[in-house]
């Protein structure tokens, strides 16, 4: 069995990046097709919720600058009727919006301070992906995972190429995956794939900067480095956990929206810190390299990283 495992290991090391890259690229093509064919839905910019059967439907959160916000809908307004039809459940609002068109005017009757207030809202299109920009970024993502796979295939026994491959997978996920706006199960998969890739990319890159290029007596391989480097990934785990909490049923309304906004802000700060930290490490390595070829390669990486960070 041990001999068979040793024989299969090289095959596994070669097959894994190829299979994974093919699967991910196919998913990216599917994602691009969904983005292209989804026309978008009309929306009012309000998160309508109720606490259970028999309880009123209230405005739990309102997007700033949305048509509902401009028309005068307030948080905690109770929705009585929509276009003359009684509203007993948030699904009644969803059905009304699904059967409407962008630009159509709907009359909402809400209660506020014990008074009934009629408000007319002209539906706006749900924000959609900017197609030209998305397709360009997705192409860059596909090229990156192809490069990562080819590097891994050329040197399958080098641990550094495996790290680089996973780095390109995360970069690919950030650029190639995005929700189209349908928000069915497949769309939620792309949404989470994009989010997880964005959370994992910063520590993967910072970790990569500690091990590339090769250094004599590298800190990453010391006892202190082995103990500290896993902590780079802790913020990513916290961000994923926070996003799971925000999507859980127990956290509703504006609290969930605020938490999601804070998670997005924290992820951007995390990315910026890791990019700047990695850039500083590579600049330090560049000043110490003696090989002309290695300096030339690292100089290109530093320039690309600087542009990417900006």
């Amino acid at each position: 069995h041990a001999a068979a495992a040793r024989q299969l290991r090289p095959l596994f090391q070669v097959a894994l990046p190829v299979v994974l890259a093919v699967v991910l690229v196919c998913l990216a093509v599917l994602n691009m097709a969904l983005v292209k064919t989804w026309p978008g839905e009309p929306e009012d910019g309000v998160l309508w919720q109720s606490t259970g059967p028999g309880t009123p439907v209230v405005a739990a959160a309102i997007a700033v600058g949305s048509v509902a916000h401009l028309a005068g809908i307030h948080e905690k307004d109770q929705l009585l009727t929509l276009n003359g039809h009684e509203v007993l459940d948030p699904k009644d609002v969803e059905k009304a919006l699904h059967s409407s068109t962008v630009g159509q005017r709907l009359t909402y009757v809400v209660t506020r301070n014990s008074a009934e207030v009629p408000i007319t809202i002209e539906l706006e299109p749900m924000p959609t992906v900017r197609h030209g920009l998305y397709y360009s970024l997705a192409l860059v993502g596909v090229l990156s995972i192809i490069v990562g796979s080819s590097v891994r295939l050329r040197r399958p026994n080098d641990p550094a190429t495996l790290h680089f491959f996973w780095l390109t997978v995360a970069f690919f996920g950030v650029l190639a995956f995005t929700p189209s706006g349908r928000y069915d199960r497949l769309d939620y998969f792309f949404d989470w794939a994009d989010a997880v890739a964005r959370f994992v990319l910063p520590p993967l890159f910072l970790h990569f900067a500690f091990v590339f290029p090769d250094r004599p007596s590298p800190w990453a391989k010391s006892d202190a480095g082995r103990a500290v480097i896993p902590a780079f990934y802790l913020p990513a785990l916290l961000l994923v956990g926070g996003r799971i909490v925000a999507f859980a049923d127990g956290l509703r309304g504006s609290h969930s929206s605020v938490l999601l906004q804070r998670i997005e802000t924290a992820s951007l700060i995390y990315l910026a810190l890791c990019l700047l930290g990695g850039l500083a490490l590579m600049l330090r390595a560049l000043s110490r390299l003696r090989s002309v070829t290695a300096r030339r390669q690292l100089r290109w990486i530093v320039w690309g990283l600087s542009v990417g960070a900006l």
Side-chain angles (χ1 to χ4, degrees):
H1 293 291
R6 285 194 296 270
Q7 291 177 354
L8 290 175
R9 186 177 301 169
L11 178 62
F12 179 76
Q13 291 174 336
V14 171
L16 175 62
V18 174
V19 172
L20 184 58
V22 170
V23 171
L24 290 176
V25 170
C26 289
L27 287 172
V29 171
L30 177 59
N31 197 170
M32 287 186 276
L34 291 177
V35 168
K36 183 176 180 60
T37 57
W38 181 243
E41 284 190 352
E43 69 165 5
D44 55 13
V46 184
L47 177 63
W48 298 102
Q49 289 188 337
S50 65
T51 56
T55 59
V57 176
V58 300
I62 303 171
V64 176
S66 65
V67 289
H69 178 257
L70 298 176
I73 296 286
H74 297 169
E75 284 192 15
K76 299 184 180 180
D77 280 353
Q78 297 182 5
L79 182 59
L80 298 180
T81 65
L82 178 53
N83 257 20
H85 299 284
E86 187 178 10
V87 176
L88 302 175
D89 188 272
K91 292 182 180 179
D92 296 334
V93 182
E94 294 178 11
K95 292 178 182 178
L97 294 177
H98 286 324
S99 61
S100 303
T101 58
V102 174
Q104 183 175 345
R105 292 175 176 268
L106 300 183
T107 301
Y108 293 63
V109 177
V110 301
T111 58
R112 184 186 306 154
N113 298 326
S114 302
E116 295 187 3
V117 181
I119 298 176
T120 301
I121 295 179
E122 183 176 327
L123 300 179
E124 62 182 347
M126 184 181 294
T128 56
V129 179
R130 295 168 61 185
H131 290 187
L133 177 61
Y134 166 62
Y135 295 143
S136 301
L137 293 177
L139 178 60
V140 174
V142 171
L143 292 176
S144 72
I145 199 171
I146 291 174
V147 171
S149 301
S150 63
V151 170
R152 181 59 179 167
L153 289 176
R154 289 176 61 186
R155 302 177 66 181
N157 297 318
D158 188 347
T161 62
L162 181 60
H163 190 154
F164 179 71
F165 171 70
W166 286 116
L167 181 62
T168 59
V169 169
F171 192 67
F172 165 86
V174 171
L175 298 181
F177 291 146
T178 188
S180 64
R182 297 171 185 263
Y183 285 105
D184 51 15
R185 290 183 179 180
L186 185 59
D187 217 31
Y188 274 113
F189 167 79
F190 290 132
D191 180 44
W192 274 97
D194 171 53
V196 171
R198 284 188 289 110
F199 298 157
V200 172
L201 178 61
L204 272 174
F205 174 75
L206 184 59
H207 187 179
F208 182 74
F210 272 103
V211 298
F212 178 85
D214 289 331
R215 302 167 174 86
S217 302
W219 175 82
K221 294 183 179 180
S222 66
D223 292 339
R226 292 190 183 96
V228 172
I229 283 181
F232 295 167
Y233 296 85
L234 181 59
L237 292 176
L238 294 176
L239 290 170
V240 172
R243 205 171 195 265
I244 292 173
V245 171
F247 274 89
D249 292 336
L251 194 60
R252 299 176 179 275
S254 57
H255 299 291
S256 178
S257 300
V258 170
L259 179 56
L260 283 173
Q261 290 174 357
R262 289 177 178 175
I263 289 172
E264 292 300 317
T265 302
S267 68
L268 290 174
I269 295 173
Y270 184 37
L271 175 63
L273 292 176
C274 289
L275 283 176
L276 293 176
L279 178 60
L281 288 169
M282 289 190 174
L283 284 172
R284 186 168 180 265
L286 180 62
S287 66
R288 298 186 174 190
L289 283 177
R290 296 183 178 180
S291 169
V292 176
T293 302
R295 286 177 61 85
R296 185 183 300 114
Q297 292 173 344
L298 189 56
R299 189 178 292 112
W300 277 103
I301 293 175
V302 167
W303 274 108
L305 175 59
S306 301
V307 174
L310 289 174

